Every structure is written in C-alpha cells, then in structure tokens.
Amino acid sequence: MRIAHPSRCLISLNHNIVHFSSCYSRNRLLSLKPLLLPQKPQTLTRSQRTRMAADISTPAISAAAEEDAKFGFTRPEMYKSNLAGTVDQYDRHVFLCFKNPDAWLPRVEESQTDPLPKLFSSAVKARKNDITIKTKVTISEGGEGTDFENGDVLIFPDMIKYKCLKETDVDGFVEDVLVNGKPWASGVQEVLTGSHVFVCAHGSRDKRCGVCGPILIEKLKEGIQSRGLSDQIFVSACSHVGGHKYAGNLIIYSPDSEGKTMGHWYGYVTPDDVPEILDQHIGKGVVIERIWRGKMGEVIEEGEKVVEEKLPNGKDVKESKKHDESSTNVNKENVGGCCQGSNGFSCCRDGNLGANEEKKAKEIGEVRGKKRLGSLSSWISSLEQSDVLAAVAVIGAVATIAVAYSLYKRTGQQSRTSMLRTEVENERD
C-alpha cells in the first residue's frame, strides 16, 4: 500500500516575491494564489496623482507662506519706519567667529556650555574704563562650511584677523589689542582683503532675522558665484546687531581705493535688492539710499534725509588676493575700546558698555545745534542785496547825525566861552 506523505511548503513573502521550498500540488497552489500573492495596485489617473501630491504638500506650503507673511519679506511692517539714523555711533567692530546661528542662544554670551563668547564678553566689560574707542562686539559664524574657524577674531575697519582665540587667551587679547592698541603678543596678525558682508540671521533672538537672514545669505552667495567674485566678496551670518524690525539687516565692510574701510548698514533688504548691493554698492561704491541705515563713525539723527553719497572706492571690483592668506603685519593706531549695550554681547551702544543716554542726547543736541546755526546762516544769506544796502544807509545816517550833533555842541560851547571873555574884558576897561 502506498503511503502518502503530506507535502511540506515554506512560503516567504518578501518584497512581493513568493518563494517555495517544497510545494503543494499545482491545484492546491492555484487555490492559494489569491491569498498569498499581492494584488496588482490600482492605476491612478494623472488628476488623482496631482490631488494626492497636493494633499501631502499643501500643509507645508501653507505653513511657509504663513511664516513669510508674519516674519518674512512680505510682513506688514516692512518699509514702515525711516531707516536713516538707526545706527548707534561706533568706530570699531569686532567679530568673534563661533559656531552657527542654529547653536546660538538668544544671548550668545550667556551660554554655559560654550564659554568662549561669555569669557570674551566678560573680559571686555571688565576693561570698559580702559578702552577708549567705541566698539561693537558681535558673534559671527565659524567652523566647517564657513570662511573662518571657531575662535577667529575679525576687526574692522582695521581689516585684521587673529586666528583661533582660546578661552585661556581672552584676557591677554583684550589687554593687547583692545586696550593698548598693539598686536596680540600670543597670535599672528593677518590682513583681511576684499569686501565682507555680515547678515543678521539670529533666529533664536528674533524670528524675523531667522527667516530673512538665511534667504539673503543664499541669494548673496549665488550672486557672488555667478559674477566670479568668490575670492573678493565674503558673506557670513552674524548675531544680533540691533533693529530686528528692519530685517533683513546686513553690514558691508569694504575698503576704498586708498585702503580706508567703510562700514555701511542696510535694512529692509530683500532678495530683489541683492543684485543692486553687489553691482552698485560693492562694485561701484554707490550708496543705496532707500534701504540705507547709516555707517560706522558717523552720527545721523533718526529720520534725517540722507544726502546722496558715493563711496571713495567708486570703481569696479578688481581681482584681489584671498582675504585671509597674508600674514603681513598692519600698522595700527595705538588705540582700543569697546562699546557694549544693555542688550549684551552683540549690540553695543556706547563707549562705556552701558546705555549712556545722557551722552547720546548730548551728541544729538550738538548735531541739532549745528543744524540751527546752519539754518540761521542760510536765512542771513537769503536776504536781498537791497535790504542790506538799506540797512547800511540807515546806520550811516545815524552816524552822520551823531557826528554833526557833537560838532554843534562843541561849537556852541566855544561861542559861549568867547562871549564871556569879551564881557570880562569890557568890565576891566
């Protein structure tokens, strides 16, 4: 008698593939086919695929549009304020390169895990009475993917770079460079060349800069690369510089033909302004008045109309050496200082590291006084020549009358004296 052994079958479903090691009979397999094999997917029409893609992407697009409308270049507050005069006076800007905006706290100098910015800020504040130049101190990006390393220190308008400042070197650096105005004894002084653009992208401090800054940086880098200027113009993200409501904010440090560095601030900058910034401001030295906030080393009263200005370099950008390769020492003035504001490390407002409003008010008062004197001079110069001649004639007439009257009095006195003498002589006779 024939003994039938049950057939063994190992079935594995992997990536829609069915594998059999030992099979049932053909008929049995055919009966199991609807259960074991995957069904053919339903074919979707083009409209169905488009609708499914829209359903997936619509929330992301809506969120981005809502964010841009509230914090980006289309927000309602754009262009609502006068920009001229919104930069506090300062004469030197120090950038400490450290990590990137994603790693920055709202106030970078308060970080407990990243002590370098905190130590640098504390050292500058401790020497505030010994530092004479009004100086802004700001964090700039550094490390992989940037033009600088963590710990690099950039100084404008001196166009100087010191590499790799360490926590243990902070006090010596502040003493040598910022207080005494001398080269850092423990570091090598290098020359910065070209133009340097710093864009506020401090998103943890203010959402507007966090939205606008990265877009502007990307647009600037694209424009620089397309113009073949990657070795002449350098763009970096920086921390809070003051005036979040003017985002996008950027600062341009660019030397003129004589080597003097100019520091110009722009606000309400959009991606559409980038070509004009590269071609007009950096390329030809022409200030873009409608988005200009002010410049380093000059006090402008807020809201004051900007007089048309052209930078001294007034010429096209020419080929130059890389910005940080040279190690030639630079002659530097024997001066130092820091200007640090109440907002902390990134936004410095006066020479005493505090909000010295009295001094600021005095400076503004002096500016207004000069404006009043100028107005008086303009009024005097506007008088017609006939008015001036009439005034001179009146003064001359008065002087003539006074002289005549004086002579008249003197003649009268002489006549009376003569008469008295005659009477006396007659009596004697």
Side-chain angles (χ1 to χ4, degrees):
M1 181 178 66
R2 184 179 177 184
I3 301 175
H5 297 279
S7 299
R8 294 176 297 165
C9 183
L10 178 62
I11 304 174
S12 174
L13 294 175
N14 183 20
H15 297 292
N16 298 331
I17 300 176
V18 182
H19 302 280
F20 298 95
S21 59
S22 178
C23 300
Y24 289 100
S25 64
R26 177 179 176 84
N27 292 336
R28 180 60 177 164
L29 288 175
L30 291 175
S31 65
L32 292 174
K33 181 178 179 181
L35 300 176
L36 299 177
L37 296 177
Q39 298 298 312
K40 183 179 180 180
Q42 181 181 1
T43 302
L44 299 177
T45 64
R46 178 179 295 180
S47 60
Q48 288 174 322
R49 291 196 300 269
T50 302
R51 187 164 55 253
M52 289 181 64
D55 292 340
I56 295 173
S57 60
T58 296
I61 294 175
S62 299
E66 182 179 353
E67 187 176 69
D68 183 68
K70 188 174 182 180
F71 303 108
F73 303 108
T74 60
R75 64 187 189 274
E77 68 179 2
M78 286 287 285
Y79 311 112
K80 296 296 184 182
S81 301
N82 292 322
L83 292 174
T86 58
V87 177
D88 294 321
Q89 185 183 14
Y90 72 104
D91 299 301
R92 179 171 59 188
H93 205 158
V94 176
F95 289 88
L96 174 64
C97 301
F98 192 79
K99 296 190 174 180
N100 58 66
D102 293 334
W104 296 341
L105 295 179
R107 283 176 170 75
V108 190
E109 75 279 6
E110 295 180 356
S111 175
Q112 300 297 327
T113 57
D114 297 322
L116 182 58
K118 183 176 182 179
L119 290 171
F120 194 83
S121 174
S122 299
V124 170
K125 290 179 180 179
R127 302 302 304 274
K128 63 181 181 180
N129 294 328
D130 303 320
I131 299 173
T132 57
I133 293 182
K134 291 185 178 180
T135 305
K136 284 186 178 293
V137 182
T138 304
I139 296 294
S140 177
E141 66 179 349
E144 186 177 357
T146 70
D147 294 316
F148 304 102
E149 298 296 328
N150 286 322
D152 287 356
V153 181
L154 318 177
I155 304 176
F156 300 93
D158 306 77
M159 296 295 285
I160 289 174
K161 181 183 81 168
Y162 288 102
K163 296 187 67 174
C164 300
L165 179 70
K166 295 181 175 57
E167 298 164 14
T168 54
D169 300 327
V170 169
D171 289 334
F173 178 86
V174 172
E175 173 72 24
D176 292 344
V177 180
L178 300 184
V179 175
N180 296 324
K182 299 177 180 179
W184 183 27
S186 301
V188 178
Q189 185 173 275
E190 299 184 2
V191 178
L192 293 172
T193 61
S195 298
H196 296 262
V197 183
F198 295 92
V199 182
C200 182
H202 199 168
S204 63
R205 183 72 175 266
D206 191 275
K207 187 71 172 178
R208 289 165 290 190
C209 292
V211 171
C212 298
I215 297 175
L216 287 177
I217 291 172
E218 182 178 359
K219 187 71 174 179
L220 283 162
K221 289 183 176 180
E222 289 176 358
I224 292 168
Q225 185 175 6
S226 67
R227 289 164 173 78
L229 301 174
S230 298
D231 62 339
Q232 300 174 50
I233 305 175
F234 310 95
V235 181
S236 301
C238 71
S239 64
H240 173 60
V241 293
H244 293 305
K245 65 181 180 179
Y246 307 126
N249 285 303
L250 60 83
I251 310 170
I252 302 174
Y253 288 103
S254 183
D256 60 23
S257 58
E258 298 177 354
K260 181 180 179 181
T261 298
M262 310 295 290
H264 286 264
W265 294 50
Y266 286 104
Y268 291 146
V269 181
T270 71
D272 293 335
D273 298 316
V274 167
E276 193 172 4
I277 287 173
L278 294 176
D279 298 332
Q280 296 299 315
H281 183 102
I282 297 179
K284 298 180 180 179
V286 178
V287 170
I288 307 169
E289 181 179 332
R290 71 177 186 278
I291 53 175
W292 188 73
R293 293 185 56 186
K295 68 178 181 179
M296 174 177 59
E298 182 174 291
V299 176
I300 298 178
E301 188 174 350
E302 186 170 355
E304 184 177 346
K305 181 175 177 59
V306 182
V307 178
E308 186 175 353
E309 180 177 353
K310 187 171 182 179
L311 297 180
N313 61 322
K315 59 180 182 179
D316 294 340
V317 176
K318 294 183 179 180
E319 185 176 358
S320 62
K321 298 178 181 179
K322 290 190 176 181
H323 70 293
D324 62 349
E325 293 299 324
S326 174
S327 59
T328 304
N329 288 340
V330 177
N331 292 328
K332 183 179 179 182
E333 296 181 3
N334 187 18
V335 289
C338 177
C339 167
Q340 184 99 11
S342 59
N343 286 334
F345 190 62
S346 309
C347 184
C348 172
R349 296 193 178 273
D350 58 35
N352 294 324
L353 300 175
N356 193 340
E357 298 299 334
E358 182 179 354
K359 185 173 182 180
K360 183 178 178 181
K362 183 178 179 181
E363 292 172 348
I364 294 175
E366 291 176 354
V367 172
R368 289 177 176 171
K370 291 179 181 178
K371 289 178 65 180
R372 292 192 186 98
L373 289 175
S375 300
L376 180 59
S377 299
S378 300
W379 176 79
I380 292 174
S381 62
S382 66
L383 290 175
E384 296 184 3
Q385 185 177 3
S386 59
D387 296 333
V388 175
L389 292 175
V392 171
V394 171
I395 294 172
V398 171
T400 301
I401 293 171
V403 171
Y405 180 72
S406 176
L407 291 174
Y408 169 75
K409 287 183 64 179
R410 188 176 300 173
T411 302
Q413 288 177 355
Q414 290 176 352
S415 297
R416 284 195 298 271
T417 303
S418 178
M419 291 176 63
L420 289 173
R421 288 177 179 174
T422 302
E423 291 177 357
V424 170
E425 290 177 355
N426 290 335
E427 289 178 357
R428 288 178 180 176
D429 294 340

